[in-house]
Each structure stands twice: as C-alpha cells, then as structure tokens.
Amino acid sequence: MGLDTAGNHTFVNPAAAKMLGYSPEELIGQPSHATWHYSHLDDSDYSEHNCPIYSTLTNRRTFSGEEWFIHKDGSFFPVKYNSSPIIEEGECLGVVLSFSDISEKKQAEEKIIHLAYYDSLTNLPNRVLLMDRLSQLLTIRSDHQQSALVLINIDRFKNINNARGQTFGNILLQATATLLLKLVRDGDTLARMAADEFALLLPNLGSQAEVCGRDAHIVAEKILTHMEQPIIINNEKISITASIGISLFNKKIKGGTDEILRRAATALHRVKDTGGNQCSFFETDMSEIVEQRFLIEKELHEAIANDELRLFLQPQVDSKLQLFGFESLVRWQHPERGLISPGIFIPIAEESDLIIELGEWVLQKALSLSAKGDMAGHPFRLSVNLSPRHFRKKNFIPWLKKIFNSTGADPNHLILEVTESLLIDNINEIIAKMHELSSMGIHFSIDDFGTGYSSLAYLKRLPIHELKIDKSFIQDAPLNTSDAALVETILSVAKHMGLNVVAEGVETEEQASFLKQRAKVIYQGYLFGKPEPAGVWFKHWFDDDFT
Ligand code: C2E
Ligand code: CA
Ligand code: CA
C-alpha cells in the first residue's frame, strides 16, 4: 500500500485490502490510523512525527518494524512491515509499504513464553513465574504491607505414584490443581513448584501481622479440609492429605525471594516431621497467636451461652473522693483458664458480630444492675463501653429501648463510652443516632480521647458530655512534657466546651495531684479502686449488696 505525505492511503493492492477486510476503493483517501494501530504510542503521543512511517518520509530511508493492523471488524493482528520513500525528481511524495501477517509467529512466541512460565501438566504458573511475582511484590508495595507465601505439599505422593503408576499420579496432581484453583481469590497466584508441591502467594493482606496471619491461616485450613474430601480417579476413591508451610513477609525482608521460599519450606518440613496434614507458620509465635485467636473466637460463642461472662465495676470519684459513678468492664470466667481480661477477647470479638452478642449481654446486665440500684435507693451513674459495630447496628435503638423497658432502668443514669473510631464514616447517621439517644436522657463519653484523630469541628456537632483522657497520657504526664502539654490541651478544650473530664488509669498521688492542680476532673484508676465484681463496690460505697 502507499501513503501520501499527509498519511492518507493512495493505493492498496487487493491482497492487502482483503487482509484488512476492505475493498481497495474503501481505503483510498482514508488516514493511515484507520488501519494502523500505533501500539507504541498512546493517544497523547499521537503525532505524525513519532511514527516510524513518517520517519521514512523525513529521513528518506527504508524502515522496517512490527506493528498492529486494525481489521475492518475491529480486531487487531500483528504485522511485520517495510516502508520505503517514494522519491521523484528529488521530492518525497509518500511511502510505499509492504507487510505480512505474523499472527502465527506471535502465537508460537506466546507458546514459548507459556512453556517457560507455566506448568504443562496443570497449566498453572510454574516456579519461575511465582518467583517473578514474588520479587515484583517486594519492589512495588509499601514497607508495611504484609503478604504470605503458602507452600502446599501432598502427603505421601511418592508412595501413591509408585503404587498406582505415573498416569494416576498425574491425574491426581491435575485434580489437586483444580481443587486449589477453586479456593484462591482474584489476585492470588497459585503455582506448581515441583512434582507434588504447590505454592500460593497471597499478596497485600494488610499491615497488621496478626490479622494477616489469621487470614493466611483461614486459607490454609480451608485447603486442608478440601484436600481431605475423597477424589474419584478411574472409578476409584482416593483420599489425600497435605502439609502446609506459611511465611509472612513484607518488603523489608532480608534475603529477598529466596529467603521467603526458604522460610515457607522450613515451616513445611516442620509439619512433615510431625506427620503432615497440618499447617504451620515459619514465624512460630504466629502459629501460637493464630491458634489462640482461633480458639478464643470459637469458645467465646459458647461463653456467652454458658454464662461465663462477668461484669466488673470500677469506681470513679471526684476531687473530694466522693463517688461519681462506675465504669462497667467485662471479664470472661473461663472454666479452665481462669479470669480472662477483655484486652484479649474484645479485639477478637470486634472482628465479627460476636461483639454485638457480647455488647447485648453487657448492656442487659449493666441496665439491670442500674435498675437494682435505683430500687434499693442507691442510684448511680454507670458507664458502659459500646463498640462502633454495635452502635452502627440498624436496630440498636429499638433494641435498647426494649431493654430499658424490661429492666426498668433510668436512661439518665447511663453513659455510653464510644471511641473516636466511631466517627470515621457515615458521620451524619451516627450523629443523628447520638441525638436520638441523647434525647432519651442517655449521656455520651469519648473514650481514650487523644489517641485517635478527633477533629474539634466534629466534637462540636456531637451531643457529648464527657471526655476520657487515655491512661497512657495520664500516667506519663508528671514526667513527660509533651504528654503534660497534651493533657493540658484536652483540659482546656473540655472547659471551653463545657464537658466533664474523666482521667483514666490514675495510679499514683503524683498523677492525681498533677491533675488536681490544673482542673476539676473525675478520677478513675487503681489509686481509687480496681475493677471488682459489682457486689464488692456496692458493699463498699452503699454498705448494701443488692446484686
Ligand atoms: P477502657 O475502656 O479504656 O477501660 C479502661 C481499662 O483500664 C480497663 O482495662 C481498666 O481495668 C484499666 N485500668 C483502670 N484503671 C487503671 C489503672 O490505674 N492502671 C492501669 N494500668 N489500668 C487501669 P480492662 O478492664 O482490661 O479493659 C480493657 C478494654 O477492654 C477497655 O478499655 C475497653 O476498651 C474494653 N472493654 C472492657 N469491657 C468492655 C465491654 O463491656 N464492651 C466493650 N465493647 N469493650 C470493653
Ligand atoms: Ca472505657
Ligand atoms: Ca479508656
């Protein structure tokens, strides 16, 4: 075909036109980009001058290369072309181009690439491609993003292969690949590493090692359970198991991809040594943490039903050491492990709706204690910690109203402690809910104030009555000037907005007097009383155990 100096088709031979799906007449006068896809140029670069055909015009030299042609039906096909200038009487009139379709050659190349990067038996990425993805992961992600490499090895595969023959073994490997593929998510890479070994790369699980460990563990457990399901090969049922080694890493790992692989392999061999059919982390403490979390989550479900939760109260006093109120703090009386602190099970409960079940138990219990106080003639304020997840629940308010009705508790005695994390999204909806509860007489307190990123603008819009200064600031304030400054700022913000301040974790006289010198606050801390079962404090303050 020929193009003029403006890049329009001047002549097209019938064979070339046919290849493009046109008749020669249709193409004459059309611009070259109707048929040429300048794949090396993006739209913003498109100009005559960066185009190789035009360099033929300007340089008056023959030029050859590879490009994509656009067929009339919109599809692309690769071509190899030669372009030469048409020169008459010293003037360049255009270019003449010859080309050939190289689709087959390209396909052959792709096949070679496929052979180099994919396993021919299972069609999965092979070790080379996995290592490649692994090293890409180490270059592009942020320092803190954790990923996991999971190595999966079929137990006793050699025995099966020897006893039943290689064909059987191959079918088994294909079946395993199919099964594993069903369990992976978009973005994960499942590869075949060696005869009976697969690898699963779980990229960017998050920044918290514990949470990532749990996620990788869930995937590994899922694989183990699915592997145990019998597979039918040649009308024969066969059951296999697998051993799994996991390593968590981020881009800071020393030793790069080889080290990651070595770690996962070490974990895998540990499992093999103990008989297989299990998973293990290279980071052994991770195995324990994940195991613990798993167990706690499972047992916590039953704990609520088995009445193993206990509600403790911690007193809050004013500067004259008069009782101001109590904060309710939950504990778990485990039948074997004894009293477990909420610091251990609340974060786990918060990852699922378990926290709602737990929160409902706490509120029900707290409101019935509050009602008992009123009945006994000892009314007291009671602060209850409320998880954002629970607060966000659709029917939270109707549910709470029901509990007020059934217990007979007075909403004016309840303080709901919420954290700044409640205010991250759907702020308008949250504020509306807070106003509704506030109009019932319920008070709000911002817990752990100073650890989040509250904007003062938001605080002004919220119906809150109280700020609780986090114990980390209180404890260091007498010694550390920046903590002292922060406490002073909170005190002045609270004063400005007319809010109560509760200082948490007051343990020493120094801490108490630091505060006393600066503002009128409410004190909560071991110096004034630890969390104890309600009866202990009722006896102390009211000389009456009405629990
Ligand atoms: P929090 O709401 O900040 O509770 C204060 C924690 O500080 C309590 O720990 C309390 O025992 C402890 N504390 C009080 N005074 C002192 C002190 O002088 N020194 C020291 N070192 N610690 C002091 P606890 O009871 O282990 O509770 C831990 C966290 O668990 C609570 O922190 C709260 O976030 C959560 N939590 C407890 N009960 C509940 C509940 O019923 N629901 C929800 N959603 N979370 C709860
Ligand atoms: Ca609290
Ligand atoms: Ca707190």
Side-chain angles (χ1 to χ4, degrees):
M1 70 170 58
L3 301 174
D4 61 19
T5 52
N8 296 325
H9 294 88
T10 47
F11 63 89
V12 182
N13 75 27
K18 193 171 170 215
M19 207 188 269
L20 287 158
Y22 295 91
S23 66
E25 295 74 32
E26 279 178 293
L27 283 173
I28 307 294
Q30 293 292 327
S32 70
H33 54 258
T35 51
W36 290 75
H37 175 70
Y38 299 117
S39 56
H40 63 291
L41 304 177
D42 65 32
D43 285 345
S44 58
D45 271 350
Y46 181 79
S47 92
E48 295 178 350
H49 306 288
N50 335 342
C51 171
I53 298 171
Y54 289 99
S55 57
T56 310
L57 289 172
T58 39
N59 301 330
R60 299 184 170 203
R61 278 217 313 266
T62 301
F63 197 93
S64 63
E66 283 180 13
E67 265 307 347
W68 292 85
F69 262 5
I70 312 167
H71 191 272
K72 191 179 180 182
D73 67 10
S75 63
F76 296 122
F77 61 95
V79 291
K80 191 172 163 46
Y81 71 87
N82 257 305
S83 73
S84 327
I86 307 169
I87 296 171
E88 261 182 46
E89 295 173 1
E91 201 182 334
C92 183
L93 302 178
V95 291
V96 60
L97 294 143
S98 62
F99 54 83
S100 55
D101 183 345
I102 53 168
S103 302
E104 272 176 23
K105 185 177 150 236
K106 283 275 175 208
Q107 275 164 11
E109 276 171 19
E110 270 164 26
K111 214 168 181 177
I112 290 167
I113 293 173
H114 198 84
L115 280 176
Y117 288 110
Y118 289 82
D119 167 50
S120 56
L121 182 68
T122 61
N123 230 354
L124 293 177
N126 62 15
R127 186 190 179 98
V128 178
L129 186 51
L130 183 101
M131 294 308 271
D132 201 47
R133 299 233 169 119
L134 202 53
S135 65
Q136 269 176 28
L137 206 54
L138 294 185
T139 55
I140 55 175
R141 278 293 156 172
S142 78
D143 277 2
H144 304 291
Q145 275 291 328
Q146 299 265 349
S147 302
L149 181 66
V150 180
L151 279 185
I152 307 149
N153 191 291
I154 303 175
D155 293 331
R156 301 182 312 106
F157 180 77
K158 275 200 189 71
N159 295 352
I160 300 170
N161 210 38
N162 290 342
R164 314 271 177 111
Q166 206 183 342
T167 312
F168 189 94
N170 284 349
I171 298 175
L172 179 60
L173 289 169
Q174 283 164 336
T176 306
T178 311
L179 181 144
L180 290 173
L181 264 181
K182 284 193 196 134
L183 301 176
V184 307
R185 296 165 298 191
D186 283 353
D188 297 346
T189 300
L190 175 69
R192 180 162 174 232
M193 299 295 277
D196 55 352
E197 195 159 301
F198 297 86
L200 180 57
L201 178 60
L202 308 172
N204 308 321
L205 292 171
S207 57
Q208 256 183 300
E210 264 181 52
V211 176
C212 302
R214 189 205 53 182
D215 287 355
H217 185 255
I218 290 174
V219 174
E221 285 289 336
K222 216 160 72 177
I223 293 174
L224 289 176
T225 352
H226 279 79
M227 291 282 254
E228 278 180 350
Q229 308 292 323
I231 303 174
I232 295 168
I233 298 174
N234 303 339
N235 292 326
E236 205 183 319
K237 249 193 202 168
I238 172 156
S239 291
I240 53 168
T241 59
S243 296
I244 297 182
I246 309 169
S247 174
L248 295 180
F249 61 91
N250 59 24
K251 69 180 278 187
K252 285 199 272 187
I253 188 164
K254 290 202 178 74
T257 54
D258 288 344
E259 177 60 15
I260 298 167
L261 193 59
R262 188 196 68 79
R263 290 183 178 190
T266 307
L268 175 67
H269 289 133
R270 211 180 287 141
V271 175
K272 287 274 179 203
D273 289 347
T274 53
N277 194 18
Q278 266 185 53
C279 71
S280 167
F281 282 85
F282 170 78
E283 302 77 8
T284 40
D285 49 341
M286 189 53 74
S287 290
E288 270 164 43
I289 292 169
V290 167
E291 204 61 33
Q292 276 283 339
R293 288 180 78 99
F294 210 64
L295 211 66
I296 287 174
E297 199 180 330
K298 206 177 88 195
E299 291 183 351
L300 194 53
H301 268 294
E302 294 145 29
I304 301 173
N306 295 345
D307 200 23
E308 288 168 17
L309 296 184
R310 303 284 177 267
L311 201 64
F312 277 34
L313 300 185
Q314 185 177 29
Q316 300 169 329
V317 300
D318 63 19
S319 57
K320 299 198 180 77
L321 301 185
Q322 298 293 310
L323 181 71
F324 176 82
F326 296 105
E327 177 177 4
S328 70
L329 293 155
V330 68
R331 272 102 185 87
W332 176 6
Q333 185 67 54
H334 192 280
E336 284 130 36
R337 285 187 276 166
L339 205 61
I340 305 181
S341 129
I344 296 181
F345 61 87
I346 293 281
I348 297 170
E350 264 171 350
E351 283 175 20
S352 68
D353 282 351
L354 246 180
I355 193 65
I356 296 175
E357 231 180 295
L358 185 143
E360 290 184 347
W361 181 91
V362 167
L363 271 165
Q364 162 93 44
K365 189 87 185 166
L367 292 182
S368 86
L369 270 183
S370 171
K372 279 181 185 164
D374 292 349
M375 295 263 287
H378 304 300
F380 54 84
R381 282 179 241 229
L382 186 57
S383 296
V384 176
N385 293 287
L386 184 65
S387 144
R389 195 179 184 117
H390 194 180
F391 187 81
R392 286 171 192 278
K393 199 172 177 221
K394 245 207 178 88
N395 70 347
F396 176 67
I397 296 182
W399 176 87
L400 190 62
K401 283 184 176 160
K402 222 172 67 200
I403 303 301
F404 274 116
N405 278 335
S406 64
T407 55
D410 182 348
N412 291 291
H413 295 164
L414 177 66
I415 301 171
L416 287 177
E417 289 192 6
V418 295
T419 54
E420 293 157 275
S421 61
L422 180 66
L423 309 173
I424 291 178
D425 48 37
N426 280 343
I427 181 89
N428 290 332
E429 194 183 310
I430 298 287
I431 294 177
K433 260 182 154 174
M434 286 176 87
H435 276 290
E436 186 176 350
L437 290 165
S438 184
S439 70
M440 288 164 60
I442 296 169
H443 287 189
F444 280 96
S445 172
I446 305 282
D447 204 356
D448 304 338
F449 190 74
T451 58
Y453 41 85
S454 284
S455 118
L456 290 178
Y458 277 151
L459 280 188
K460 263 169 59 184
R461 292 173 59 199
L462 303 177
I464 49 170
H465 300 83
E466 181 182 285
L467 298 181
K468 292 191 84 172
I469 309 184
D470 191 61
K471 58 176 176 288
S472 60
F473 305 121
I474 299 295
Q475 295 181 342
D476 295 340
L479 306 165
N480 179 314
T481 49
S482 67
D483 284 334
L486 203 123
V487 169
E488 280 165 356
T489 310
I490 297 175
L491 292 173
S492 87
V493 166
K495 191 172 167 204
H496 211 77
M497 297 176 64
L499 302 174
N500 281 344
V501 174
V502 178
E504 255 182 4
V506 181
E507 290 182 352
T508 66
E509 294 292 352
E510 285 83 6
Q511 291 157 358
S513 73
F514 174 92
L515 292 159
K516 202 167 178 178
Q517 282 159 22
R518 285 165 177 78
K520 193 167 157 270
V521 302
I522 295 141
Y523 301 83
Q524 182 183 344
Y526 294 171
L527 184 62
F528 307 98
K530 293 194 170 182
E532 301 273 8
V536 172
W537 287 122
F538 291 165
K539 196 119 195 37
H540 179 93
W541 288 100
F542 309 125
D543 198 21
D544 184 0
D545 180 358
F546 45 84
T547 56

